[in-house]
Amino acid sequence: MPRKVRICYFNNWAGKLEEAAAYVARAPQMDLRPMIAKKDDPKLLRLARLDCDWYMENARCFAAMQHEAIEFLPAWTCGAAGVVDFSGAPREPGEERWFLTMGRQPNHFGSNAGKVFSLLAKMGVRHFYYAFDEASRFMPCFGDIAPYLDVLIHDEHPLEEKGRQRLKRSCVDIHRSWVANIVPFVPPFNEAPEEKIVFLGSQMGLTDNRKRQIAALKEKFKDKFVPLYEHSPAAAERVQLNRFKVALCPEGRWFTTPGMAKTHTDRPFWSGCLGMVVVSENSKPGGRLESLHEQGMILRYEHGDTKSLIAQCERALAMTNEERRRSYEYYNRYECVGTVVAETLASLR
């Protein structure tokens, strides 16, 4: 008999407890102005919308989770206002209940984070925390919630020692970085994309290094090079990018904290899910993308080396549909957040 599992995804943009599917349906129309510090600041409002949409896509992924060993009951989501309702909501017979948090979202509970996680644990709720960055070092409430975690996926190696010691011995500790918050295989594979390279900008903006890269790429590829300078495309707009053959994801060594210096953001992963050939700056030795590079799932160029960048872009444009489809299949099968969470839950006893 498959286990019955219900997850509640904590999302600070949400409010009361509700089904994740219902939240996903209403989130695009939400008025975010009351939820930001300067409600009339258009830049801040745009960033808020991007952040809200990103977390909304996570909710979509968790609502769609499937696994042969688990019967996933309809997923829920809530903000701080819905946690009490979640803790006391009636259960189906045999229902296993999980509270799923991501990124720095637990910090929204402030000094009460430990109390909230403790209350849920006492109510028979298990805790799954997917921390992309260095939460054990830089999230103030990590030490308070650590004793209640049943699963911790993180991108820092090693964990900060005091934080690690706060974890219970039974906590499943997995070192893994970013993945795509896309429902697997929902983005279609484009059999005939435009033979162009799309440059995906980031929060770093136009640094001197990027200006040099963009100038060189424009000179070399002319109208085959399409630069996007914004921090990130909206989640709903990402699928439209699969009209391009190549995604240039320039993040690499800009991370300055110890663990994150070996990683990247999620752009390479969702680009791969869209069937695009991924080109990215090499991470430091031992980094997350090294294994993808070795498998041919990503093309890497040397840090600060414009010739290497151009060579890898040329190689990417020459990729066949067969090579692109192999990559598309890989990313959609193994590098989507819902799949990672479902597989982890299925591995537990």
Side-chain angles (χ1 to χ4, degrees):
M1 285 286 292
R3 290 156 49 201
K4 285 187 176 182
V5 173
R6 189 190 309 273
I7 68 107
C8 180
Y9 171 50
F10 177 75
N11 169 13
N12 194 55
W13 294 106
K16 64 180 182 179
L17 181 69
E18 62 184 315
E19 286 200 2
Y23 171 75
V24 168
R26 73 176 181 85
Q29 288 75 46
M30 285 171 52
D31 182 3
L32 303 181
R33 289 174 296 178
M35 307 175 72
I36 61 176
K38 299 179 180 180
K39 62 181 181 180
D40 296 321
D41 184 334
K43 181 178 179 181
L44 189 60
L45 184 60
R46 181 180 181 277
L47 291 175
R49 173 51 63 189
L50 286 171
D51 192 64
C52 178
D53 286 355
W54 192 84
Y55 282 101
M56 176 191 72
E57 289 304 312
N58 291 337
R60 189 194 307 277
C61 293
F62 300 138
M65 286 194 301
Q66 296 180 354
H67 196 282
E68 60 183 11
I70 296 177
E71 177 189 347
F72 281 105
L73 302 175
W76 292 338
T77 190
C78 73
V83 172
V84 173
D85 289 338
F86 168 59
S87 66
R91 300 192 188 208
E92 292 193 13
E95 177 182 330
E96 190 178 317
R97 189 164 287 184
W98 287 80
F99 191 56
L100 174 58
T101 51
M102 300 181 76
R104 299 291 178 91
Q105 293 275 303
N107 216 40
H108 288 288
F109 292 114
S111 60
N112 291 319
K115 295 177 182 178
V116 171
F117 276 57
S118 173
L119 170 65
L120 291 174
K122 288 177 182 176
M123 298 293 289
V125 175
R126 303 178 74 183
H127 288 281
F128 194 125
Y129 179 32
Y130 203 140
F132 291 114
D133 57 10
E134 297 186 288
S136 77
R137 288 177 168 80
F138 300 110
M139 188 174 73
C141 72
F142 184 85
D144 297 327
I145 70 171
Y148 308 106
L149 299 181
D150 295 283
V151 176
L152 170 63
I153 300 182
H154 59 91
D155 197 20
E156 52 182 324
H157 187 70
L159 290 169
E160 190 275 328
E161 185 58 23
K162 289 183 179 179
R164 186 192 66 78
Q165 291 180 359
R166 295 280 290 167
L167 296 172
K168 56 187 178 183
R169 293 183 64 181
S170 61
C171 178
V172 176
D173 175 7
I174 300 172
H175 179 219
R176 183 177 185 132
S177 73
W178 297 86
V179 286
N181 59 343
I182 284 179
V183 178
F185 296 105
V186 167
F189 181 79
N190 189 346
E191 297 283 353
E194 298 177 36
E195 296 286 326
K196 292 183 179 180
I197 304 159
V198 60
F199 174 95
L200 298 176
S202 78
Q203 196 171 17
M204 284 189 69
L206 293 179
T207 62
D208 289 341
N209 180 51
R210 292 197 176 175
K211 288 178 182 177
R212 287 192 294 270
Q213 291 178 336
I214 290 171
L217 291 166
K218 282 183 176 179
E219 181 179 358
K220 174 65 179 179
F221 295 104
K222 305 297 190 293
D223 60 355
K224 288 187 176 183
F225 177 65
V226 181
L228 300 181
Y229 301 120
E230 296 292 341
H231 167 52
S232 179
E237 298 171 359
R238 292 183 305 190
V239 173
Q240 301 171 21
L241 295 176
N242 82 337
R243 68 184 185 274
F244 301 118
K245 186 172 184 177
V246 179
L248 173 54
C249 309
E251 305 88 344
R253 304 184 182 197
W254 70 273
F255 295 106
T256 56
T257 53
M260 290 294 282
K262 294 183 178 182
T263 192
H264 289 61
T265 66
D266 59 340
R267 286 175 184 79
F269 300 96
W270 58 253
S271 296
C273 286
L274 297 180
M276 305 165 77
V277 181
V278 182
V279 177
S280 187
E281 182 180 295
N282 64 320
S283 56
K284 292 185 178 180
R288 172 74 169 95
L289 300 186
E290 190 168 347
S291 62
L292 294 178
H293 171 67
E294 291 171 351
Q295 296 176 72
M297 299 299 161
I298 194 167
L299 302 181
R300 301 191 302 177
Y301 62 92
E302 293 298 318
H303 174 64
D305 187 336
T306 304
K307 291 183 178 179
S308 173
L309 168 60
I310 289 175
Q312 294 300 345
C313 285
E314 288 180 318
R315 182 181 170 194
L317 286 172
M319 285 281 190
T320 65
N321 271 9
E322 181 180 355
E323 291 171 309
R324 287 197 306 115
R325 186 176 288 281
R326 175 174 170 265
S327 175
Y328 170 81
E329 293 276 340
Y330 173 86
Y331 280 102
N332 279 283
R333 290 189 186 282
Y334 303 111
E335 300 293 346
C336 293
V337 68
T339 302
V340 173
V341 171
E343 290 286 352
T344 303
L345 289 173
S347 71
L348 304 177
R349 296 289 183 264

